[in-house]
Amino acid sequence: MKTLLKVGIIFIIIGAISVTVFGLMAQPYLEEQMEYTDQAFDYEGSLFSRIDLSFYNNPVVIKPSTDDQIHIRFKTDQYEEITLTEDNQILSIVVTSDWWDQFRNPLHWFNFGNIMVNRTVTVELPSILYHLSVRTSNGAISLDDLSLESVILRTSNGRVSIENVSIPTVTMSSSNGKLYLKDVVSTTVDLDTSNGEIELINVEAYSIDAETSNGPINASRIDVEDFRVSTSNGAIELSIQGIFEDYKVKTKTSNGTVKIDGSTYGNDTYHTTKVPYVEAITSNGNIQIHFED
């Protein structure tokens, strides 16, 4: 049984290597077979209050517009279809592709298409408090230098990052990828990644909920009333503005040490009568919490 399993694993590895080598060797021919169309959508910024965008295998960059208009730019191939909806102050752009067409095209195996052709989606938004939702199947998502009413950023595989933003409600998720926040002012922050690191730097919010299945969680210069972090496998290191004695703090690790302000603690809940709350839970890893007055 063990021999059969080993043989099966070897064949899987050989198959993956073969497909990768084939894709790279056949790159010129495959690229010639692809037809790309530049897509451009421009709107007066005040026409919409909500923007919903969904793509297939595209990185997405979201940044400020240089004028009062919405500008959205990306490429589609001959297998992709765009569904555009402009109704009730909602702009929806959904790019879909039949799975069989994508399977027939080896450029999309292991994202060869993204390597050879710039498939990045560029979204430029004016200074209006939109409700923004962006989803992509495989690719990173970044959002910088904007103020919004709410944002939802989801990718199946890739990094999700936001920097220098003011957004009351932030939701970020990735199946396999790092979640990164820096210089963020918010009310509610929800972060979830299956396999990836979570890092927060200089974040101010009422509540932050961060969870990863496998990966460390690092947070510094955090101003928060309700802070809950958990990881199945990984270390947790938090730096929080405030005084330890003013917080209700719950810590739990199955395999690791717990230190708060340099002193050793255990799996317990401290200062149970306090209202501001910090919870740090990991199955395997050390927990370090620093309070900075």
Side-chain angles (χ1 to χ4, degrees), residues 64-79:
S65 175
T66 56
D67 52 30
D68 294 329
Q69 291 191 326
I70 298 169
H71 304 286
I72 301 173
R73 302 283 187 273
F74 57 94
K75 292 179 184 292
T76 54
D77 61 40
Q78 67 265 40
Y79 300 117

Side-chain angles (χ1 to χ4, degrees), residues 105-251:
N105 174 26
L107 272 179
H108 290 281
W109 303 351
F110 303 106
N111 275 351
F112 285 135
N114 290 343
I115 295 173
M116 290 178 280
V117 178
N118 185 1
R119 297 293 306 274
T120 299
V121 178
T122 302
V123 180
E124 298 182 0
L125 302 177
S127 300
I128 295 176
L129 298 180
Y130 299 106
H131 293 276
L132 175 65
S133 175
V134 178
R135 180 189 298 270
T136 185
S137 298
N138 293 288
I141 304 176
S142 67
L143 187 159
D144 299 325
D145 305 313
L146 281 169
S147 294
L148 301 169
E149 187 64 35
S150 68
V151 67
I152 300 174
L153 305 178
R154 301 187 188 280
T155 179
S156 298
N157 293 287
R159 171 188 169 108
V160 184
S161 66
I162 65 174
E163 293 189 51
N164 192 29
V165 302
S166 177
I167 306 173
T169 304
V170 174
T171 302
M172 301 164 61
S173 68
S174 174
S175 296
N176 295 285
K178 179 177 180 177
L179 304 183
Y180 178 80
L181 296 86
K182 182 179 180 182
D183 299 330
V184 174
V185 177
S186 183
T187 302
T188 303
V189 177
D190 288 314
L191 310 173
D192 183 22
T193 178
S194 298
N195 293 287
E197 177 184 358
I198 296 178
E199 183 176 9
L200 303 91
I201 302 173
N202 192 31
V203 177
E204 179 183 343
Y206 175 78
S207 67
I208 300 173
D209 194 330
E211 181 177 353
T212 177
S213 298
N214 293 287
I217 299 177
N218 296 286
S220 60
R221 290 182 285 153
I222 308 300
D223 186 352
V224 65
E225 291 292 310
D226 192 309
F227 195 13
R228 303 167 192 248
V229 300
S230 64
T231 175
S232 298
N233 292 286
I236 295 175
E237 185 167 353
L238 312 177
S239 176
I240 302 168
Q241 294 183 7
I243 301 173
F244 176 34
E245 288 74 13
D246 291 339
Y247 279 80
K248 178 181 178 181
V249 178
K250 179 180 180 179
T251 55

Side-chain angles (χ1 to χ4, degrees), residues 47-67:
L47 286 177
F48 305 104
S49 61
R50 175 176 164 183
I51 302 173
D52 296 335
L53 307 174
S54 180
F55 303 97
Y56 183 89
N57 287 337
N58 296 85
V60 182
V61 175
I62 308 159
K63 58 185 180 181
S65 175
T66 56
D67 52 30

